[in-house]
Amino acid sequence: MTEQSSRPNRSGKPRQHGENPSRGGKPQFRGGNAKPTTAHRRLRDEPEEKFIRRAIPDIDTPFTRMGIDARVAVNLPPMGIDAPSPIQEKAIPGIVEGRDLLGLAQTGTGKTAAFGLPMLTRLLNIGRKPEPKTCRALILAPTRELATQIAENIDAYAAGTPIRQFRVVGGASINVQTMRMERGVDVLIATPGRLIDLIERGAVDLSQTKYLVLDEADQMLDIGFIHALRRIAKMLPRERQTLLFSATMPKLMEELAESYLTDPLKVAVNPPGQAAAKIEQGVHFVNQGDKATLLAEYLAKHRDELAIVFGRTKHGSEKLSKLLEKWGYKVAAIHGNKSQGQRERALAGFRAGETKVLVATDVAARGLDIPEVAHVYNYDLPNVPENYVHRIGRTARAGRDGRAIAFCAPAEIGELRAIEKAMKSQIPVVGGEVPFEAAKIRERGGPAGRGAAGQDARKRPARRPSRAPKSTQRT
Ligand SMILES: Nc1ncnc2c1ncn2[C@@H]1O[C@H](COP(=O)(O)OP(=O)(O)OP(=O)(O)O)[C@@H](O)[C@H]1O
Ligand SMILES: [Mg+2]
């Protein structure tokens, strides 16, 4: 803590006596030969003692029995978290013990708490403040919105404890982030690009980061992030605990994932890559030019319920949202061409239920937890097959029901096949004329192999074009 006294202040000048960068504005010790008095010593030690002596609630819950610190566990019931979900049950004990872990579980099954709760438990055992510019734990996420959501979750789990989180993402002031990092932080939640920027400015020092979490790990290991991740990983101590979580983990990625882990526990709830169990899925075959009208038909049947519509391009998504607005829908759009302010307002309005339809690119595919989302429409099929599972996973969160309809144009049959292959199951047809090529695949049992829906599809012959309904069947 005495190190703080010799650190420069925000203007770069040496700190003056009494100027304190930490919370509370207590007098600082003079550097050099100044001898600390008993009063000084008491002041210096106080935060640390407070840290350790804070009353630990005397509670016994399923989470405390798994080793979660009671100061964290006490925050869970008010959030509706009473008993651990399967991934939490499988992952938490190993993480509390200090093991590296690869955790795979379907969307909406509580992976954030599966890494957040044991990580906070371990941090609470340290009992010291972080040093300037450092963070004890680093959580990396692929999008700004997801980083924000994780930060909010960590705040909620850690309420009433001395643990502090800070979020650094693009689109926000880098100077503010630089200044905040001067104090150091317990948990840093970041998107990789902005973290690299801060490291290059000398604002973040990862040499003491003993915990690394990659949320949406397969996307973080993907080509768009891997270079940044490699640079970041080199700066972290070798002796650290690394946790990787996702709902999907393609085989190729799994090998790469292993290079970040030491003697990891592998925890998988259900075979990885499957859609959440309670999502009622369907594919509707439709010509590209008829998709907007079809979407409007579906939306009209559930005007009061929240729906996310996924488009492939920023431009296409923007155009679609404008069209829906013209047709009288309360709609907002979120994609890479929007400013950060617009993105945040769009999401806030949607979370609050003020806008009922959110048109989004894959920027909203991963991790976002908006429990009221009842419908997901894949207006365009994703070209990364795993993203289908993540997109539809924006509905049916934490055991709720949800529906997901994929609009498949004749040119998208290849994407549909790739998605079904990745999920190892067929998506039931709910409307439109099955193109000849797709019908043939379906008659053979499809690329899906022996998945549950695949078996279903074999029993039920593929819908013939002549018998296909003209409008939506199930909505
Ligand atoms: N044990 C629990 N009991 C009840 N609800 C829970 C529990 N754990 C988490 N939740 C709730 O479940 C929802 C989904 O959690 P979370 O966002 O962590 O899912 P996820 O597995 O990370 O999903 P995704 O793969 O989409 O990122 C949240 O609203 C969370 O508060
Ligand atoms: Mg998540």
Side-chain angles (χ1 to χ4, degrees):
M1 227 162 292
T2 45
E3 281 166 36
Q4 285 174 347
S5 59
S6 55
R7 265 194 303 137
N9 61 14
R10 284 173 191 177
S11 57
K13 292 180 194 143
R15 284 189 185 282
Q16 300 300 306
H17 177 57
E19 187 184 346
N20 187 356
S22 64
R23 286 184 292 259
K26 291 192 193 92
Q28 282 290 290
F29 308 115
R30 246 174 299 179
N33 298 327
K35 240 181 153 183
T37 62
T38 311
H40 272 128
R41 213 172 280 129
R42 188 173 53 74
L43 275 172
R44 183 189 61 191
D45 293 341
E46 192 179 65
E48 202 164 318
E49 286 183 10
K50 254 192 196 163
F51 206 106
I52 292 163
R53 284 191 195 160
R54 186 173 281 267
I56 298 181
D58 183 18
I59 53 164
D60 175 35
T61 76
F63 286 98
T64 56
R65 271 171 251 144
M66 290 165 73
I68 296 301
D69 193 294
R71 289 165 287 184
V72 172
V74 77
N75 293 323
L76 304 177
M79 298 169 70
I81 302 179
D82 295 310
S85 67
I87 182 67
Q88 292 161 4
E89 203 156 8
K90 286 188 170 183
I92 287 175
I95 303 175
V96 168
E97 263 177 35
R99 295 284 302 270
D100 279 9
L101 187 134
L102 172 61
L104 300 171
Q106 291 151 306
T107 52
T109 55
K111 292 188 285 295
T112 320
F115 63 74
L117 305 179
M119 187 194 74
L120 290 171
T121 296
R122 290 183 65 84
L123 292 176
L124 277 165
N125 287 331
I126 297 177
R128 263 180 292 115
K129 285 178 123 188
E131 286 180 23
K133 299 186 181 183
T134 67
C135 59
R136 293 244 163 78
L138 173 65
I139 303 175
L140 292 174
T143 66
R144 299 165 184 180
E145 286 74 17
L146 182 54
T148 302
Q149 184 184 288
I150 295 170
E152 286 165 2
N153 285 334
I154 296 291
D155 262 346
Y157 307 149
T161 76
I163 301 282
R164 296 288 172 268
Q165 60 76 22
F166 185 53
R167 175 201 66 146
V168 295
V169 297
S173 162
I174 195 162
N175 290 332
V176 171
Q177 293 174 359
T178 303
M179 284 193 296
R180 170 61 186 88
M181 280 312 296
E182 279 184 22
R183 292 208 304 265
V185 70
D186 299 295
V187 184
L188 187 65
I189 300 145
T191 48
R194 177 51 63 95
L195 180 62
I196 294 271
D197 290 346
L198 284 161
I199 290 168
E200 282 175 353
R201 279 182 161 218
V204 172
D205 167 2
L206 296 179
S207 63
Q208 294 176 36
T209 306
K210 297 285 182 70
Y211 302 92
L212 171 68
V213 180
L214 303 186
D215 195 17
E216 307 296 343
D218 55 332
Q219 191 176 9
M220 303 306 296
L221 295 165
D222 197 13
I223 196 80
F225 289 104
I226 191 69
H227 298 297
L229 181 62
R230 279 198 186 123
R231 281 183 68 186
I232 292 165
K234 269 189 205 144
M235 293 175 218
L236 295 164
R238 270 179 193 281
E239 289 257 318
R240 61 165 197 257
Q241 186 174 15
T242 306
L243 310 172
L244 271 49
F245 277 85
S246 187
T248 52
M249 183 55 72
K251 264 271 160 276
L252 268 174
M253 294 277 175
E254 203 169 319
E255 283 165 30
L256 191 54
E258 293 230 5
S259 64
Y260 287 84
L261 301 162
T262 309
D263 185 26
L265 286 173
K266 289 191 200 164
V267 166
V269 178
N270 304 323
Q274 285 188 357
K278 290 192 116 183
I279 307 176
E280 194 183 324
Q281 297 178 62
V283 56
H284 197 127
F285 292 99
V286 56
N287 287 326
Q288 190 64 31
D290 298 330
K291 281 187 175 181
T293 326
L294 180 65
L295 176 64
E297 275 179 41
Y298 273 106
L299 291 176
K301 296 193 174 162
H302 308 280
R303 268 192 186 270
D304 294 329
E305 294 169 6
L306 296 196
I308 304 188
V309 180
F310 283 100
R312 190 178 296 171
T313 65
K314 301 174 223 178
H315 179 67
S317 303
E318 185 63 22
K319 226 171 93 183
L320 179 62
S321 80
K322 290 267 158 24
L323 184 65
L324 292 174
E325 200 166 8
K326 214 169 89 184
W327 288 349
Y329 291 93
K330 288 181 186 161
V331 58
I334 177 166
H335 52 71
N337 278 354
K338 296 275 189 193
S339 72
Q340 189 52 25
Q342 286 172 321
R343 279 165 67 159
E344 276 167 24
R345 279 192 297 281
L347 206 56
F350 186 61
R351 275 189 200 276
E354 287 152 15
T355 43
K356 300 290 181 197
V357 183
L358 186 70
V359 183
T361 55
D362 273 333
V363 75
R366 290 197 177 230
L368 294 186
D369 181 52
I370 304 165
E372 293 76 22
V373 173
H375 307 272
V376 170
Y377 298 102
N378 273 295
Y379 188 85
D380 298 313
L381 295 189
N383 41 14
V384 177
E386 283 73 27
N387 273 4
Y388 171 82
V389 166
H390 292 277
R391 284 177 173 193
I392 68 170
R394 294 320 97 213
T395 186
R397 312 280 301 166
R400 290 178 183 78
D401 294 326
R403 288 175 187 186
I405 307 293
F407 292 180
C408 183
E412 292 175 305
I413 300 292
E415 277 89 345
L416 180 65
R417 279 175 74 173
I419 289 164
E420 292 183 330
K421 196 170 168 195
M423 288 199 301
K424 298 192 177 71
S425 65
Q426 276 193 354
I427 307 170
V429 179
V430 293
E433 300 191 358
V434 185
F436 181 67
E437 194 191 340
K440 255 186 13 197
I441 296 162
R442 277 161 194 273
E443 268 163 20
R444 288 204 307 266
R450 301 189 187 284
Q455 283 168 7
D456 242 25
R458 278 194 294 278
K459 273 186 241 153
R460 189 161 38 98
R463 205 181 298 285
R464 288 215 192 87
S466 56
R467 282 165 49 204
K470 293 242 162 9
S471 64
T472 57
Q473 281 196 329
R474 277 189 304 160
T475 56

